[in-house]
Amino acid sequence: MIETAGALVWRMHRDRLEVRLIHRPKYDDWSWPKGKLDTGEAFQTAAAREVCEETGRPVILGVPLPGLQYLTAEGRVKRVHYWAARRADPARDAAPLAARAPVHPVSPQEIDDAVWLPIDEAADRLTRSADRIPLDALATEHHHGRLDTHVVVIARHGRATARSGWYGDEHDRP
């Protein structure tokens, strides 16, 4: 199985929801930015990296969207995991961006065009009809006000050194 990850990059433009589509000259198709996971890479990391590689701009992932599964031309099963994503803002998102590895610039042989389109126009432009499934989910999330998200991390330690065996300050106890 081929595991891939990507995102539907969205923005509000003149009070309308728009999404970013990419054109791949090799396949002459319009689709969502996505790509294969590197060895040991998490799905979310791959999605953020691939979108940046294919659009030239970093993103912040939001809500998960329905994925797709289909057979490639070679007969292999390909599974794509998608998230809603907004373009990263260098000031607002400085911390998560600083934690990321550098990304290669967009290759014109891989992606030769990228456009922002309103939802209805994007649905018409998509080459594969199945790519409308995550688009419909994105529109639903927008309708319910759930696209503009932020991350909350809750960290719990599972096991600490016993207090009886630690003689330092509590906040330093491993």
Side-chain angles (χ1 to χ4, degrees):
M1 179 174 304
I2 304 167
E3 295 282 7
T4 65
L8 279 65
V9 183
W10 64 273
R11 72 176 182 183
M12 294 304 298
H13 184 70
R14 297 186 180 143
D15 295 326
R16 288 176 54 179
L17 179 63
E18 293 185 340
V19 291
R20 189 86 163 156
L21 292 182
I22 58 165
H23 183 262
R24 302 180 305 167
K26 179 179 179 181
Y27 303 104
D28 189 25
D29 71 349
W30 288 94
S31 65
W32 308 117
K34 64 185 173 300
K36 295 177 187 171
L37 277 68
D38 289 341
T39 303
E41 189 174 38
F43 290 111
Q44 294 89 338
T45 304
R49 177 185 52 76
E50 284 289 341
V51 171
C52 189
E53 284 178 0
E54 295 186 352
T55 67
R57 298 284 303 270
V59 295
I60 301 298
L61 298 184
V63 296
L65 299 171
L68 301 174
Q69 184 170 303
Y70 53 90
L71 290 176
T72 66
E74 301 81 31
R76 295 184 64 196
V77 175
K78 183 175 187 176
R79 188 165 45 185
V80 188
H81 303 263
Y82 285 114
W83 284 265
R86 64 172 173 77
R87 276 190 167 176
D89 176 283
R92 176 180 171 191
D93 303 312
L97 293 177
R100 295 184 184 174
V103 175
H104 300 290
V106 180
S107 165
Q109 287 75 36
E110 187 177 352
I111 307 299
D112 65 351
D113 200 3
V115 295
W116 286 105
L117 295 172
I119 295 290
D120 54 337
E121 291 179 39
D124 292 339
R125 177 87 56 106
L126 287 164
T127 302
R128 293 176 37 89
S129 61
D131 282 344
R132 291 181 184 95
I133 294 168
L135 179 62
D136 291 343
L138 181 90
T140 299
E141 294 296 325
H142 170 66
H143 176 75
H144 293 293
R146 296 188 297 240
L147 279 185
D148 196 11
T149 62
H150 62 276
V151 175
V152 176
V153 177
I154 300 172
R156 294 180 56 203
H157 70 284
R159 186 176 196 128
T161 301
R163 282 191 177 115
S164 61
W166 181 251
Y167 300 103
D169 291 334
E170 180 61 21
H171 70 278
D172 292 333
R173 183 166 56 111

